[in-house]
Amino acid sequence: MLVIEAKLKGSQNQYKVLDEMILTGQFIRNSCLRYWMDNKNVKRNDLQKLCSVLAKDSNFPWVKKLNSQARQASADRTWQSIQRFYKNCRLKLPGKKGYPKFKKFTRSIEYKTTGYKLSPDRKKIEFKDGFKAGVFELWTSRDLVWYSQQQISRVRVVRRADGYYCQFLVNVERKETHNFQGNVVGIDLGLNAFYTDSNGDVVENPKYLRKSEKRLKKLQRRLSRRHEQGKKPQSNNYHKARIQLARANLKISRQRKDYAIKTARALIQSNDLVVYEDLKIANLVKNHHLAKSISDASWYQFTEWLEYYAKLHGIACIAVPPHFTSQNCSNCGQTVKKSLSVRTHKCPHCGYTADRDHNAARKILAKGLEMLGAVVNSTEGHSEPGGNPKATGESDLWISNSNIANLSHLCERRIINDENPAS
């Protein structure tokens, strides 16, 4: 699958119609959720039937204007949230289970295969349902002309602070060639540095939010001054300030995503095995002294792109438990207790001295190689060369790997126990 995004260029009246389409999808989603709450044993097919009932109801004439498949897609969103809630309950996850909630600020509407038409040169799109939004120009750096109409399975209209966008889900197989050279690396994610690898290399943390805080505070103060309670609607100057603040936050979000993509791709392209910590970000941000810095680092987004590019390149990407990776010595395996403020690892048992993050990265690599060796040597790992074998042990995480045979030579470099130092 491939997602191609293009900006929609049209008139202000057309944008208002897009807002009406999005609100209609929100209405259908909330109606399906209410139906599920009020009735027992509701299935996905029941929500699909409810869409037809709403379209025929004279009290809601705007529902019929929306394309039938777009109505079904809105119902599918409700069913996905319900399924996720059921799954969390079955797994007995601690804390909140994610009970579905009514949406107030939906920003997208999704079409399947009907309700729109692309121009022959793929430079324009026309929405042809009852709302009659008209023809929009598509501004994108990716050319859609290389893909047929049959390859496009979904079209989603997204509203953001700087305009409206159209996302195309294209059914195409994407595969990258990888030159296997036997390079292995473990990375320790941090706040001072974005990550430190087992070779001692350090990647800088850009800290986009910290650098933009002064600008954000100024825009927030301006918005607060122009907010007048008890008066509706708000003034035009208030909405201008609101949009300026939203665009500033959107820019930071895009900077983080761009940095995570480029850093993850470079790391995958230069290595045959990447090992990282399976950090629980939701638990880490409970520390109010570090929550802002952790969120600004966007570790979760970075690891998601690591796994994505690992699948494309057909290499292993292993997530290991983070327990004691900073406290244990990567040279002798002994535990060396140290607080978070101590940035240098000094082992009193073997005399090994290194930067705290470098020592942790070496220990992470050792854990990853041990897990990989267990999978390669097991009969399960050889039974399905094209599959994703489960990693055994305390982590119980999958190993992203399209061809385990290509990585069998790495088995010679694995570390079976802590007595063998990581290279």
Side-chain angles (χ1 to χ4, degrees), residues 3 5 160 167 208 250-264 296-298 301-302 305 309:
V3 178
E5 186 174 274
R160 295 201 179 99
Q167 296 176 342
Y208 292 114
L250 180 62
K251 179 181 179 181
I252 296 173
S253 176
R254 286 172 171 168
Q255 286 176 323
R256 288 174 180 164
K257 181 179 179 180
D258 181 71
Y259 189 80
I261 291 175
K262 292 178 179 178
T263 307
D296 192 19
S298 64
Q301 186 171 223
F302 172 69
W305 283 106
Y309 282 115

Side-chain angles (χ1 to χ4, degrees), residues 266-400:
L267 187 63
I268 293 297
Q269 287 177 342
S270 56
N271 294 280
D272 299 343
L273 170 68
V274 177
V275 188
Y276 66 93
E277 292 177 294
D278 181 30
L279 298 174
K280 305 299 181 183
I281 309 298
N283 295 335
L284 293 175
V285 295
K286 293 179 180 179
N287 184 342
H288 299 296
H289 298 285
L290 300 175
K292 182 184 292 186
S293 298
I294 292 173
S295 300
D296 192 19
S298 64
W299 292 336
Y300 177 78
Q301 186 171 223
F302 172 69
T303 55
E304 286 290 299
W305 283 106
L306 268 183
E307 295 172 358
Y308 171 74
Y309 282 115
K311 290 180 181 179
L312 289 184
H313 287 259
I315 72 169
C317 185
I318 307 177
V320 300
H323 315 303
F324 302 107
T325 54
S326 297
Q327 303 295 333
N328 291 351
C329 179
S330 61
N331 191 55
C332 64
Q334 297 293 328
T335 302
V336 182
K337 293 289 185 179
K338 44 186 172 293
S339 63
L340 193 61
S341 59
V342 178
R343 306 311 304 172
T344 302
H345 169 79
K346 296 180 180 179
C347 182
H349 304 282
C350 65
Y352 178 71
T353 302
D355 180 77
R356 176 197 181 103
D357 296 336
H358 183 204
N359 174 75
R362 285 164 53 99
K363 189 64 182 178
I364 291 169
L365 176 61
K367 281 190 173 185
L369 289 173
E370 182 179 358
M371 290 172 59
L372 179 64
V375 172
V376 173
N377 291 333
S378 66
T379 57
E380 180 183 358
H382 289 286
S383 61
E384 295 181 3
N388 293 330
K390 275 280 190 178
T392 57
E394 55 180 333
S395 69
D396 195 30
L397 294 176
W398 59 270
I399 296 180
S400 170

Side-chain angles (χ1 to χ4, degrees), residues 93-115:
L93 297 180
K96 296 182 179 180
K97 304 300 185 293
Y99 189 84
K101 297 181 180 180
F102 294 104
K103 295 294 183 181
K104 296 175 61 178
F105 303 104
T106 304
R107 296 180 177 85
S108 64
I109 186 69
E110 189 174 282
Y111 290 80
K112 293 185 179 180
T113 57
T114 62

